[in-house]
Amino acid sequence: MDRTIGRDGAAARPPPASAGPPATPGEPALRHWADADAFALFRGLESSRRGLCEDTAALRLHVHGDNATDAVRRTGAAARARRALAGPFSGLMTVLGVLLAVAGSPGSATLVLVVAALGVGLRLWHAVRSDRLSRELRAHAATTVTVRRRPAPGTTPRDSEVPPEDLVPGDVVLLGAGDPVPADARLLRARDLLVDQSSLSGELLPVAKAPPSSRAPSSRGPRRRPSRAGSDDGPVTAHPALLFAGSTVVRGTATAVVLATGAHTHTAELAGRGRRPRPESEVDRGLRSVRRALVRCMLLAAPLVLLVNVEVSGDVRQALLFAVVVTVGLAPELLPLIVGTTLLRGTTRLRESGVLVTRPEAIHDLGSIDIACLDKTGTLTEDRVVFTHSVDVDGRPDPAPADAAAVAVRFQTTPRDGLDDAMAAADRDGSALLAHGLLTRVEELPFDHARRRCAVVLRDAHDPGELVIVRGDPDTVLPRCTRVARAGEPVELTASLRVAAADAVAGHRATGLRVVAVATRRTPLLRPLGAGDDDDPERDLLLLGFVGMVDPVRESAARAVERFAEQGVAVKVLTGDDTAVAEQVCARAGIAVTGVLDGAALDALGEVALARAAERTTLFTRLGPLQKERVVAALQARGHTVGFLGDGLNDVGALRIADVGIGVDGAVPAARAAADIVLTDRSPDVVVSAVEEGRRTLGRATRYLTVTAALNVGNTLSVLVASAVLPFLPLLPAQLLLQGVLFGVAALSLSFDRVEPGWTARPRRWDTRGMLWFMAVLGPLASAFDLVTFWAVWRFLGLDTPQEQAVFQAVGFSEGMLSQVLVLLLLRTRAGRASRPVVATVCAVVLAGLAVPYTPLAPLFGMAAPPPAVWPLLAAVVLPFLACVAAIRPLYLRHVLGIDAADPRRER
């Protein structure tokens, strides 16, 4: 298409008065145009049934921009860098590095900055990897759309193929079966139109669409009254005259006028909710609280130490170095690296299980989930309809209705939907294939929304006349029946038999089955159709019975629900489907429904009332996009950590505000972009496994942060007390950093270790109070044994002068390193052997740490080789310290990890 404005000859025509109407702003405008008559519609859009002129379309394209169909945007390098730099303690470590350089300790400064860079680099690598995974999940297909335009005013319109990006408000588009709907549009004409808009509304089956005033698609069928859609009732997607970008035409043809394109479509509005800032999760809040507690200690201790030392010694440089030592002693230097490594390990394990992680931090949030919100269609069920059985009017099994329905589907020329495929599968003995050789199709009356039934007229080669087979909603088929088949013989359909038929239908619907009535009629050769009732093939029907179909529950659904219950996770079902069907699916999946709330009742509740109702409700039905968001937000308001699984545009907002948004590989691009993790398998069993892995990963990170924070508090107390009596610093910044790095290397192996027994048995959260309590116990205990070491070195080894401080500090470094690493090994689990990677890493770290004072690296860290007498002293201090830690380990398990010390369970 030529986008040039003012092509040859354009100057001879008056320029357009404007670029056309603005893109329609949201649901109110869509509802307004949906109910407008054709004259007002085209006048408001400054268009006509003949389409726009090419020049007008080009001008509107320039004003409104491309009709961008993919709302997913690639994360830029700058955004990734900002997220990486925003990691915990990254800025603090950088500041400490600068202060150490100012204080004249370039070696220590370099070490601090390297550690900070490693943490930032790991977070950046995670961001790049997640962005690459998201791009791999996106599927782009090159398509075109048929649009009706005129080369110039007064010329004949022509239909041509243009890229969907070139559409503008006012364009007239032509759609057929299989075409994606490229923009929000209002129907002008439609024939047998069925549209799959499940990604927007959550409905399993395609929905019928028709303009505000239309006739039955076939002149052979009975006349129908104009359809009337209440523009203010229900979700906007339920309006039969509106088509929405992101849906697909399943059957029929349509002519429509474009109302909105690009970012102004209803689809873009839903997708845009996935780009809102994500609310802070439970894990984020817990980590932030611990970080703030440590930072407060640093901000309190460092200035105090600086002022006191300047006042006592008068040496500003020495005082600054001493203040930095205190700050370094409190800072968990390798926190970003350790947390990033545990996340990397968790990401790898989840990928092996069929879970792709797009936001690594979500793995920790998975461990905190106590409510899982699942969709019914495609998650608990298999996203398809299957034949179950067919019965007669009395509810007795009878193959005749299913056989007749299968024959009708065989001769159907319009594209099949899920119900058609299910009825075709009912032909188990091949009778429909045999009938194909004897019968020929005469005419077909396709399904439409007003009639809610379809019919096919067949001619039998061995039987004069014609056979009419009608299938459809029992409520519309039964009134057209005058006879019923009982025991293979036709009898009059009396009032009592009609009641029996209605009871049979109601009974099947109550069990969650989808019911289709099947009726036939033998007629003479039908004449060309006229307007009289005698020409209606859907009258005087013989009711054969009913065909039952069901959306089958996944085999793994019941097992997944049971495993969720074992993990302490409550399952709630959020669906756009009917209540009766959803209740039966829950029953077959083993979900005990304690309360039901549909969309209309939900809208009548305020936020406080909804929060109370949501907590005691299991099943939410007939929900729209905003209603799903409200349910998730209401559960969060009651203190729950919520995981939400969805795959459609109507799920994007809920995916974004949930603590963990869970998408699937086949989801729409906007839903995958809003999700934190993406399942390659829709089975809910995969979600359960992901939650278990999230708890293990959270347990490893919690253990490291708790132990290292407590030991760092001990280091700080030791330095503060010892400095009051020693004529030199008990430990230098470089020594504390090296001690922290060696401890961190040992902690890196925890990502390969088992977690504590019972840890995955229930939801886990960052228990800030328990962590701070344990810091207050273990920190002073570690400090007490450090001070004992300092006293013993001073008292028994006689290292009490500034000239001997290198040996003194080497002994203090060895004792601190040995104590910290062995404490980590001791607190890693209550019972069971450590995994081989953990044992190997701890042994290597201990040997390396003890060897440093005897290597050429010792002068770089301000240390000298201690005498042999130090080894009995270290044993005399470290072993009692470990015994004390073992004594308080039950308190650690109970108050920090929340595990009963008598719990016999074991973890993998």
Side-chain angles (χ1 to χ4, degrees):
M1 185 190 77
D2 185 2
R3 295 193 183 186
T4 306
I5 302 175
R7 298 177 302 174
D8 294 342
R13 299 188 300 271
S18 69
T24 48
E27 287 191 18
L30 290 175
R31 294 182 187 273
H32 168 75
W33 291 124
D35 293 323
D37 58 52
F39 177 77
L41 175 66
F42 283 115
R43 184 174 182 179
L45 295 174
E46 299 181 18
S47 182
S48 73
R49 292 184 182 274
R50 296 159 57 89
L52 298 173
C53 294
E54 291 286 359
D55 286 349
T56 302
L59 180 60
R60 291 189 182 184
L61 185 64
H62 177 73
V63 172
H64 296 296
D66 286 350
N67 176 36
T69 57
D70 188 359
V72 180
R73 299 288 185 263
R74 181 180 300 185
T75 305
R80 290 196 296 265
R82 284 195 300 270
R83 285 189 299 184
L85 291 172
F89 293 101
S90 298
L92 175 63
M93 297 302 292
T94 302
V95 171
L96 288 179
V98 173
L99 290 177
L100 284 170
V102 172
S105 183
S108 299
T110 302
L111 187 58
V112 168
L113 294 176
V114 167
V115 169
L118 286 174
V120 172
L122 186 61
R123 289 176 61 86
L124 183 60
W125 182 80
H126 269 305
V128 172
R129 186 169 179 267
S130 298
D131 192 43
R132 185 178 69 251
L133 285 175
S134 299
R135 293 199 305 271
E136 291 175 356
L137 289 171
R138 299 173 195 163
H140 297 282
T143 59
T144 60
V145 61
T146 304
V147 64
R148 179 169 295 162
R149 288 179 180 169
R150 293 169 289 160
T155 59
T156 302
R158 62 188 182 190
D159 299 341
S160 58
E161 299 292 321
V162 302
E165 293 80 6
D166 289 351
L167 288 182
V168 295
D171 262 328
V172 176
V173 296
L174 287 74
L175 302 170
D179 289 341
V181 178
D184 290 352
R186 177 19 230 279
L187 282 172
L188 303 174
R189 289 190 298 274
R191 178 180 175 84
D192 309 331
L193 187 62
L194 279 181
V195 178
D196 179 2
Q197 56 181 32
S198 57
S199 64
L200 286 86
S201 63
E203 298 165 283
L204 171 64
L205 298 176
V207 295
K209 296 285 186 176
S213 178
S214 60
R215 301 177 63 86
S218 172
S219 60
R220 186 155 196 170
R223 294 179 182 270
R224 54 177 275 202
R225 292 175 295 178
S227 63
R228 180 178 63 85
S231 61
D232 296 325
D233 298 333
V236 68
T237 53
H239 204 297
L242 293 176
L243 301 179
F244 298 91
S247 57
T248 304
V249 176
V250 174
R251 186 174 74 193
T253 59
T255 303
V257 59
V258 174
L259 300 177
T261 60
H264 299 282
T265 62
H266 185 64
T267 298
E269 179 184 353
L270 295 178
R273 306 184 74 84
R275 294 192 293 272
R276 295 175 301 174
R278 182 178 298 281
E280 190 177 41
S281 69
E282 176 72 22
V283 173
D284 292 332
R285 291 190 293 271
L287 185 59
R288 174 172 49 84
S289 63
V290 175
R291 186 167 66 246
R292 284 183 175 178
L294 292 176
V295 170
R296 288 193 188 105
C297 292
M298 296 175 193
L299 295 178
L300 178 65
L304 180 62
V305 170
L306 180 64
L307 292 175
V308 171
N309 274 267
V310 168
E311 182 68 24
V312 173
S313 65
D315 189 342
V316 177
R317 177 181 171 279
Q318 180 71 12
L320 177 61
L321 185 60
F322 184 54
V324 171
V325 169
V326 173
T327 307
V328 170
L330 280 170
E333 300 89 353
L334 294 187
L335 177 63
L337 190 61
I338 301 298
V339 172
T341 303
T342 58
L343 291 176
L344 177 61
R345 175 64 175 167
T347 299
T348 302
R349 289 174 61 96
L350 286 176
R351 189 164 191 174
E352 294 171 354
S353 302
V355 180
L356 304 179
V357 181
T358 58
R359 185 174 70 91
E361 292 82 0
I363 300 178
H364 289 161
D365 297 315
L366 274 170
S368 301
I369 288 177
D370 59 353
I371 289 182
C373 294
L374 306 179
D375 187 18
K376 175 187 74 66
T377 304
T379 303
L380 295 175
T381 65
E382 297 180 4
D383 199 14
R384 63 188 180 96
V385 181
V386 298
F387 166 78
T388 57
H389 63 282
S390 66
V391 297
D392 61 14
V393 69
D394 297 310
R396 293 188 296 264
D398 185 355
D403 292 341
V407 169
V409 173
R410 287 288 179 181
F411 287 93
Q412 177 176 312
T413 59
T414 54
R416 296 181 181 181
D417 60 18
L419 289 176
D420 295 329
D421 291 334
M423 283 184 280
D427 179 38
R428 298 170 182 171
D429 59 0
S431 60
L433 287 175
L434 296 175
H436 205 287
L438 303 175
L439 301 174
T440 57
R441 188 178 65 88
V442 177
E443 193 166 352
E444 181 180 356
L445 282 73
F447 180 89
D448 74 85
H449 185 65
R451 294 166 55 246
R452 289 186 292 168
R453 62 183 180 274
C454 59
V456 61
V457 182
L458 306 173
R459 187 166 296 162
D460 193 334
H462 299 291
D463 196 351
E466 294 177 342
L467 172 65
V468 181
I469 304 177
V470 178
R471 299 170 289 135
D473 187 337
D475 296 339
T476 66
V477 174
L478 282 174
R480 293 183 163 270
C481 297
T482 57
R483 296 171 299 154
V484 61
R486 300 189 77 187
E489 297 295 330
V491 299
E492 181 183 357
L493 185 58
T494 62
S496 60
L497 287 177
R498 288 186 184 274
V499 171
D503 290 343
V505 171
H508 281 75
R509 285 174 172 169
T511 62
L513 290 176
R514 302 179 187 273
V515 184
V516 175
V518 182
T520 63
R521 176 190 175 197
R522 285 281 182 178
T523 70
L525 297 180
L526 294 175
R527 297 170 294 161
L529 297 180
D533 283 342
D534 290 341
D535 298 317
D536 181 6
E538 296 179 334
R539 65 181 180 86
D540 298 331
L541 298 175
L542 170 68
L543 177 65
L544 297 182
F546 308 102
V547 175
M549 286 161 289
V550 68
D551 188 6
V553 174
R554 292 183 181 272
E555 293 182 2
S556 61
R559 183 174 68 256
V561 170
E562 184 179 353
R563 290 178 62 192
F564 269 131
E566 293 173 353
Q567 292 180 343
V569 177
V571 174
K572 296 184 183 293
V573 179
L574 279 62
T575 179
D577 214 337
D578 181 76
T579 300
V581 174
E583 284 181 323
Q584 292 303 315
V585 169
C586 289
R588 294 197 299 273
I591 301 175
V593 177
T594 58
V596 180
L597 191 65
D598 64 15
L602 187 148
D603 286 337
L605 298 177
E607 299 305 323
V608 176
L610 176 59
R612 289 197 299 265
E615 193 163 26
R616 60 176 181 264
T617 300
T618 304
L619 178 60
F620 301 83
T621 61
R622 297 187 179 276
L623 297 184
L626 295 180
Q627 293 167 326
K628 291 184 178 182
E629 290 186 46
R630 289 191 65 199
V631 172
V632 172
L635 293 171
Q636 291 173 325
R638 300 287 289 185
H640 295 288
T641 303
V642 181
F644 179 86
L645 193 155
D647 61 357
L649 282 169
N650 59 331
D651 298 320
V652 169
L655 284 168
R656 191 65 178 177
I657 70 169
D659 295 284
V660 182
I662 307 170
V664 295
D665 194 10
V668 297
R672 292 198 301 265
D676 301 310
I677 65 174
V678 178
L679 310 180
T680 57
D681 183 351
R682 282 176 175 260
S683 171
D685 224 22
V686 179
V687 182
V688 183
S689 300
V691 170
E692 290 180 344
E693 184 59 36
R695 291 179 183 175
R696 293 188 185 96
T697 306
L698 178 60
R700 293 163 185 139
T702 301
R703 183 188 309 112
Y704 165 76
L705 183 58
T706 303
V707 175
T708 191
L711 293 175
N712 285 356
V713 168
N715 284 338
T716 301
L717 292 175
S718 302
V719 172
L720 283 173
V721 175
S723 299
V725 295
L726 291 175
F728 50 82
L729 290 174
L731 286 172
L732 296 177
Q735 295 161 1
L736 281 174
L737 281 172
L738 180 59
Q739 194 177 92
V741 168
L742 290 172
F743 176 81
V745 170
L748 284 173
S749 65
L750 294 179
S751 60
F752 299 91
D753 195 21
R754 306 173 182 89
V755 297
E756 286 75 7
W759 177 261
T760 62
R762 64 181 179 84
R764 297 294 171 180
R765 298 189 176 187
W766 287 81
D767 185 1
T768 305
R769 288 182 300 177
M771 295 171 70
L772 294 178
W773 176 90
F774 188 70
M775 289 166 55
V777 173
L778 181 59
L781 179 64
S783 177
F785 280 91
D786 287 342
L787 295 175
V788 169
T789 302
F790 296 156
W791 174 80
V793 173
W794 179 286
R795 180 80 168 84
F796 296 107
L797 298 183
L799 303 175
D800 55 0
T801 64
Q803 292 74 22
E804 297 172 313
Q805 66 174 337
V807 179
F808 184 100
Q809 291 164 350
V811 177
F813 164 82
S814 299
E815 182 272 334
M817 181 276 306
L818 190 60
S819 299
Q820 291 182 13
V821 172
L822 294 180
V823 163
L824 181 67
L825 187 63
L826 185 63
L827 295 180
R828 51 157 289 278
T829 184
R830 184 179 62 83
R833 294 180 302 173
S835 62
R836 290 182 179 178
V838 174
V839 174
T841 304
V842 167
C843 291
V845 167
V846 168
L847 292 175
L850 295 178
V852 166
Y854 301 94
T855 66
L857 295 176
L860 296 177
F861 294 97
M863 291 187 285
V870 75
W871 301 111
L873 185 149
L874 290 179
V877 173
V878 172
L879 292 179
F881 172 63
L882 294 178
C884 293
V885 173
I888 66 171
R889 183 170 58 180
L891 300 178
Y892 166 74
L893 293 172
R894 184 178 304 113
H895 293 286
V896 178
L897 302 183
I899 298 175
D900 188 352
D903 191 345
R905 284 173 289 189
R906 300 290 183 268
E907 296 294 333
R908 293 191 299 272

